[in-house]
Amino acid sequence: KEYDSTAFKFPSQDCKEIIEDLGHHICKVMCESEDTIFIDKEDSYLNDYFWYGGMYLVHGEVNKTLNVDPLTFIAKCHGNIDKDFICKTVEKHKNIKARFWTGAPYFELYRIEASKGGCMLDIANMYGIKKENIIVYGDADNDIEMFEFAKTSVLMSNAKYDLKEKVTMVSVKDNDHDGIYYTLKKILK
């Protein structure tokens, strides 16, 4: 499988079309470039995930204000989430898919040719690191390609996703209790 770890941006025209096509299925949109955040409505839940300090904020309808190709596209869904419709709508655009957040009414876009696994491969090749010497940790479905790349893949024990079939082991402790440290200690014994 070939990855292009440099293909992180979403064409702004695709983003605008996705927003228009999803219409009433979404109620909030946030896109982020290197220095600007485009957001239609403030969102306290997203504020916990993103640090806006030093970023220029553009408020307003994202499909009208977005003037660059963003690195991030996150949308909040209205009411009952029609995942099939959202996925089919998004997948009309070349190499773009939707990934839903567990326990929250949000989804994000991702580029199929850009992944944590692809970046891991680039770094390993750059430094001459063999696959058998790589240990990765993750807790969500955006880590699957990274899990597939490494010889030892560890799912954090407090992961919201059931990805046990994708990893070689589950962490000894969770993210909040030094799970990486204790699991690495066990692996290196």
Side-chain angles (χ1 to χ4, degrees):
K1 190 175 185 180
E2 287 292 319
Y3 294 98
D4 177 2
S5 62
T6 62
F8 290 106
K9 294 183 179 182
F10 301 99
S12 62
Q13 188 58 39
D14 286 348
C15 295
K16 292 174 183 182
E17 289 173 13
I18 289 168
I19 293 167
E20 290 292 325
D21 292 346
L22 291 178
H24 72 277
H25 289 272
I26 57 177
C27 59
K28 291 182 183 178
V29 176
M30 189 275 291
C31 290
E32 179 182 28
S33 71
E34 290 89 350
D35 58 4
T36 306
I37 294 175
F38 300 86
I39 189 164
D40 53 7
K41 297 174 191 150
E42 288 296 323
D43 190 300
S44 60
Y45 187 80
L46 289 180
N47 287 344
D48 291 340
Y49 287 91
F50 296 96
W51 178 69
Y52 300 142
M55 300 284 281
Y56 181 68
L57 285 172
V58 176
H59 289 91
E61 294 180 49
V62 175
N63 58 331
K64 293 179 181 171
T65 61
L66 187 65
N67 60 3
V68 297
D69 293 341
L71 296 162
T72 305
F73 179 110
I74 297 170
K76 182 177 183 182
C77 301
H78 260 305
N80 292 331
I81 301 171
D82 188 344
K83 290 183 179 181
D84 287 337
F85 176 78
I86 291 170
C87 287
K88 286 177 184 170
T89 300
V90 168
E91 290 172 11
K92 291 178 187 174
H93 300 271
K94 186 178 179 186
N95 297 330
I96 301 175
K97 290 193 174 198
R99 177 182 295 131
F100 294 87
W101 294 9
T102 300
Y106 296 86
F107 70 90
E108 62 186 289
L109 299 185
Y110 70 97
R111 299 286 307 249
I112 60 173
E113 71 275 25
S115 70
K116 290 181 182 181
C119 291
M120 182 74 62
L121 177 62
D122 288 351
I123 292 167
N125 288 338
M126 186 182 310
Y127 292 102
I129 300 169
K130 295 178 182 173
K131 180 178 180 174
E132 55 267 13
N133 294 325
I134 296 176
I135 302 169
V136 298
Y137 294 81
D139 62 0
D141 63 352
N142 66 346
D143 297 316
I144 290 173
E145 291 90 356
M146 184 175 64
F147 290 155
E148 293 170 350
F149 173 73
K151 180 182 182 213
T152 305
S153 54
V154 183
L155 180 66
M156 298 308 294
S157 63
N158 61 328
K160 294 178 182 176
Y161 297 84
D162 183 14
L163 300 171
K164 291 179 187 140
E165 74 282 352
K166 303 281 186 188
V167 298
T168 55
M169 66 184 298
V170 175
S171 67
V172 174
K173 295 188 179 207
D174 65 28
N175 288 339
D176 300 322
H177 298 95
D178 299 322
I180 292 174
Y181 168 78
Y182 287 107
T183 305
L184 188 57
K185 193 173 173 181
K186 177 181 177 181
I187 291 169
L188 298 178
K189 270 189 175 175

